[in-house]
mmCIF file of all heavy atoms in Angstrom:
data_model
loop_
_atom_site.group_PDB
_atom_site.id
_atom_site.type_symbol
_atom_site.label_atom_id
_atom_site.label_comp_id
_atom_site.label_asym_id
_atom_site.label_seq_id
_atom_site.Cartn_x
_atom_site.Cartn_y
_atom_site.Cartn_z
ATOM 1 N N ILE A 442 3.514 11.461 1.392
ATOM 2 C CA ILE A 442 4.543 12.542 1.257
ATOM 3 C C ILE A 442 5.068 12.923 2.666
ATOM 4 O O ILE A 442 4.314 13.213 3.569
ATOM 5 C CB ILE A 442 3.937 13.771 0.562
ATOM 6 C CG1 ILE A 442 3.573 13.408 -0.898
ATOM 7 C CG2 ILE A 442 4.873 14.935 0.593
ATOM 8 C CD1 ILE A 442 2.943 14.460 -1.706
ATOM 9 N N MET A 443 6.377 12.882 2.763
ATOM 10 C CA MET A 443 7.067 13.208 4.022
ATOM 11 C C MET A 443 7.677 14.588 3.887
ATOM 12 O O MET A 443 8.297 14.907 2.862
ATOM 13 C CB MET A 443 8.130 12.170 4.334
ATOM 14 C CG MET A 443 7.561 10.739 4.451
ATOM 15 S SD MET A 443 6.355 10.581 5.715
ATOM 16 C CE MET A 443 7.362 10.229 7.147
ATOM 17 N N VAL A 444 7.606 15.364 4.965
ATOM 18 C CA VAL A 444 8.110 16.740 4.976
ATOM 19 C C VAL A 444 9.232 16.847 6.014
ATOM 20 O O VAL A 444 9.089 16.318 7.128
ATOM 21 C CB VAL A 444 6.951 17.749 5.360
ATOM 22 C CG1 VAL A 444 7.548 19.160 5.427
ATOM 23 C CG2 VAL A 444 5.882 17.656 4.352
ATOM 24 N N GLU A 445 10.295 17.551 5.668
ATOM 25 C CA GLU A 445 11.400 17.841 6.600
ATOM 26 C C GLU A 445 10.904 18.884 7.542
ATOM 27 O O GLU A 445 10.755 20.037 7.199
ATOM 28 C CB GLU A 445 12.636 18.261 5.855
ATOM 29 C CG GLU A 445 13.817 18.652 6.683
ATOM 30 C CD GLU A 445 14.601 17.448 7.189
ATOM 31 O OE1 GLU A 445 14.649 16.435 6.419
ATOM 32 O OE2 GLU A 445 15.114 17.490 8.295
ATOM 33 N N LEU A 450 11.599 13.719 9.486
ATOM 34 C CA LEU A 450 10.657 13.557 8.400
ATOM 35 C C LEU A 450 9.316 13.278 9.020
ATOM 36 O O LEU A 450 9.169 12.360 9.817
ATOM 37 C CB LEU A 450 11.067 12.458 7.462
ATOM 38 C CG LEU A 450 12.198 12.757 6.493
ATOM 39 C CD1 LEU A 450 12.551 11.542 5.663
ATOM 40 C CD2 LEU A 450 11.862 13.913 5.577
ATOM 41 N N LYS A 478 7.731 26.442 3.066
ATOM 42 C CA LYS A 478 8.658 26.091 2.019
ATOM 43 C C LYS A 478 9.032 24.629 1.978
ATOM 44 O O LYS A 478 9.163 24.004 0.906
ATOM 45 C CB LYS A 478 9.987 26.911 2.233
ATOM 46 C CG LYS A 478 9.787 28.415 1.935
ATOM 47 C CD LYS A 478 9.925 28.640 0.430
ATOM 48 C CE LYS A 478 9.880 30.166 0.141
ATOM 49 N NZ LYS A 478 8.814 30.426 -0.857
ATOM 50 N N ALA A 479 9.173 24.038 3.179
ATOM 51 C CA ALA A 479 9.518 22.590 3.218
ATOM 52 C C ALA A 479 8.373 21.731 2.672
ATOM 53 O O ALA A 479 8.602 20.745 1.947
ATOM 54 C CB ALA A 479 9.804 22.203 4.675
ATOM 55 N N VAL A 480 7.136 22.127 2.932
ATOM 56 C CA VAL A 480 5.963 21.400 2.412
ATOM 57 C C VAL A 480 5.914 21.541 0.910
ATOM 58 O O VAL A 480 5.724 20.542 0.200
ATOM 59 C CB VAL A 480 4.679 21.934 3.072
ATOM 60 C CG1 VAL A 480 3.431 21.346 2.372
ATOM 61 C CG2 VAL A 480 4.627 21.591 4.574
ATOM 62 N N GLU A 481 6.141 22.753 0.455
ATOM 63 C CA GLU A 481 6.124 22.973 -0.983
ATOM 64 C C GLU A 481 7.211 22.149 -1.707
ATOM 65 O O GLU A 481 6.970 21.508 -2.772
ATOM 66 C CB GLU A 481 6.311 24.489 -1.296
ATOM 67 C CG GLU A 481 6.080 24.886 -2.693
ATOM 68 C CD GLU A 481 6.207 26.381 -2.969
ATOM 69 O OE1 GLU A 481 6.339 27.133 -1.996
ATOM 70 O OE2 GLU A 481 6.244 26.747 -4.168
ATOM 71 N N LYS A 482 8.371 22.092 -1.107
ATOM 72 C CA LYS A 482 9.516 21.340 -1.641
ATOM 73 C C LYS A 482 9.150 19.872 -1.734
ATOM 74 O O LYS A 482 9.406 19.153 -2.700
ATOM 75 C CB LYS A 482 10.765 21.577 -0.800
ATOM 76 C CG LYS A 482 12.004 20.863 -1.303
ATOM 77 C CD LYS A 482 13.233 21.202 -0.460
ATOM 78 C CE LYS A 482 14.450 20.567 -0.999
ATOM 79 N NZ LYS A 482 15.163 19.823 -0.026
ATOM 80 N N ALA A 483 8.567 19.342 -0.617
ATOM 81 C CA ALA A 483 8.222 17.925 -0.576
ATOM 82 C C ALA A 483 7.202 17.572 -1.601
ATOM 83 O O ALA A 483 7.255 16.518 -2.263
ATOM 84 C CB ALA A 483 7.696 17.590 0.848
ATOM 85 N N LEU A 484 6.230 18.473 -1.862
ATOM 86 C CA LEU A 484 5.215 18.245 -2.883
ATOM 87 C C LEU A 484 5.862 18.248 -4.314
ATOM 88 O O LEU A 484 5.525 17.360 -5.079
ATOM 89 C CB LEU A 484 4.151 19.362 -2.793
ATOM 90 C CG LEU A 484 3.218 19.237 -1.599
ATOM 91 C CD1 LEU A 484 2.435 20.513 -1.404
ATOM 92 C CD2 LEU A 484 2.292 18.045 -1.715
ATOM 93 N N ARG A 485 6.727 19.171 -4.532
ATOM 94 C CA ARG A 485 7.390 19.238 -5.846
ATOM 95 C C ARG A 485 8.251 17.985 -6.111
ATOM 96 O O ARG A 485 8.264 17.504 -7.206
ATOM 97 C CB ARG A 485 8.301 20.464 -5.942
ATOM 98 C CG ARG A 485 7.686 21.694 -6.351
ATOM 99 C CD ARG A 485 8.599 22.849 -6.635
ATOM 100 N NE ARG A 485 8.041 24.125 -6.344
ATOM 101 C CZ ARG A 485 7.077 24.701 -7.056
ATOM 102 N NH1 ARG A 485 6.602 24.102 -8.072
ATOM 103 N NH2 ARG A 485 6.577 25.856 -6.706
ATOM 104 N N GLU A 486 8.942 17.561 -5.078
ATOM 105 C CA GLU A 486 9.861 16.394 -5.229
ATOM 106 C C GLU A 486 9.154 15.030 -5.212
ATOM 107 O O GLU A 486 9.781 14.021 -5.444
ATOM 108 C CB GLU A 486 10.959 16.485 -4.225
ATOM 109 C CG GLU A 486 11.855 17.691 -4.454
ATOM 110 C CD GLU A 486 12.917 17.828 -3.328
ATOM 111 O OE1 GLU A 486 12.872 17.094 -2.332
ATOM 112 O OE2 GLU A 486 13.728 18.711 -3.494
ATOM 113 N N SER A 487 7.862 15.025 -4.889
ATOM 114 C CA SER A 487 7.139 13.767 -4.881
ATOM 115 C C SER A 487 7.023 13.234 -6.316
ATOM 116 O O SER A 487 7.148 13.971 -7.269
ATOM 117 C CB SER A 487 5.747 13.911 -4.266
ATOM 118 O OG SER A 487 4.924 14.553 -5.172
ATOM 119 N N ASP A 488 6.770 11.955 -6.448
ATOM 120 C CA ASP A 488 6.638 11.373 -7.809
ATOM 121 C C ASP A 488 5.241 11.483 -8.349
ATOM 122 O O ASP A 488 4.842 10.798 -9.274
ATOM 123 C CB ASP A 488 7.107 9.904 -7.817
ATOM 124 C CG ASP A 488 6.282 9.015 -6.888
ATOM 125 O OD1 ASP A 488 5.430 9.610 -6.114
ATOM 126 O OD2 ASP A 488 6.446 7.820 -6.847
ATOM 127 N N LEU A 489 4.425 12.429 -7.821
ATOM 128 C CA LEU A 489 3.067 12.584 -8.255
ATOM 129 C C LEU A 489 2.938 13.620 -9.365
ATOM 130 O O LEU A 489 1.900 13.797 -9.918
ATOM 131 C CB LEU A 489 2.174 13.030 -7.057
ATOM 132 C CG LEU A 489 2.047 12.089 -5.969
ATOM 133 C CD1 LEU A 489 1.257 12.639 -4.762
ATOM 134 C CD2 LEU A 489 1.401 10.768 -6.374
ATOM 135 N N GLY A 490 3.998 14.315 -9.669
ATOM 136 C CA GLY A 490 3.982 15.243 -10.800
ATOM 137 C C GLY A 490 3.167 16.488 -10.429
ATOM 138 O O GLY A 490 2.454 17.008 -11.284
ATOM 139 N N LEU A 491 3.246 16.990 -9.179
ATOM 140 C CA LEU A 491 2.481 18.090 -8.728
ATOM 141 C C LEU A 491 3.222 19.381 -8.807
ATOM 142 O O LEU A 491 4.477 19.389 -8.680
ATOM 143 C CB LEU A 491 2.029 17.853 -7.259
ATOM 144 C CG LEU A 491 1.169 16.623 -7.031
ATOM 145 C CD1 LEU A 491 0.912 16.421 -5.547
ATOM 146 C CD2 LEU A 491 -0.149 16.681 -7.786
ATOM 147 N N ASN A 492 2.537 20.505 -9.012
ATOM 148 C CA ASN A 492 3.165 21.820 -9.075
ATOM 149 C C ASN A 492 2.453 22.770 -8.114
ATOM 150 O O ASN A 492 1.571 23.477 -8.488
ATOM 151 C CB ASN A 492 3.111 22.350 -10.526
ATOM 152 C CG ASN A 492 4.022 23.530 -10.704
ATOM 153 O OD1 ASN A 492 4.869 23.828 -9.837
ATOM 154 N ND2 ASN A 492 3.807 24.236 -11.811
ATOM 155 N N PRO A 493 2.819 22.720 -6.787
ATOM 156 C CA PRO A 493 2.141 23.508 -5.818
ATOM 157 C C PRO A 493 2.365 25.017 -5.957
ATOM 158 O O PRO A 493 3.412 25.439 -6.433
ATOM 159 C CB PRO A 493 2.731 23.006 -4.500
ATOM 160 C CG PRO A 493 4.104 22.451 -4.818
ATOM 161 C CD PRO A 493 3.970 21.954 -6.255
#
Side-chain angles (χ1 to χ4, degrees):
I442 295 180
M443 301 299 273
V444 177
E445 178 78 34
L450 283 179
K478 288 278 184 236
V480 170
E481 190 177 349
K482 182 177 184 231
L484 289 166
R485 273 190 212 289
E486 292 175 354
S487 73
D488 59 355
L489 297 175
L491 301 174
N492 192 13

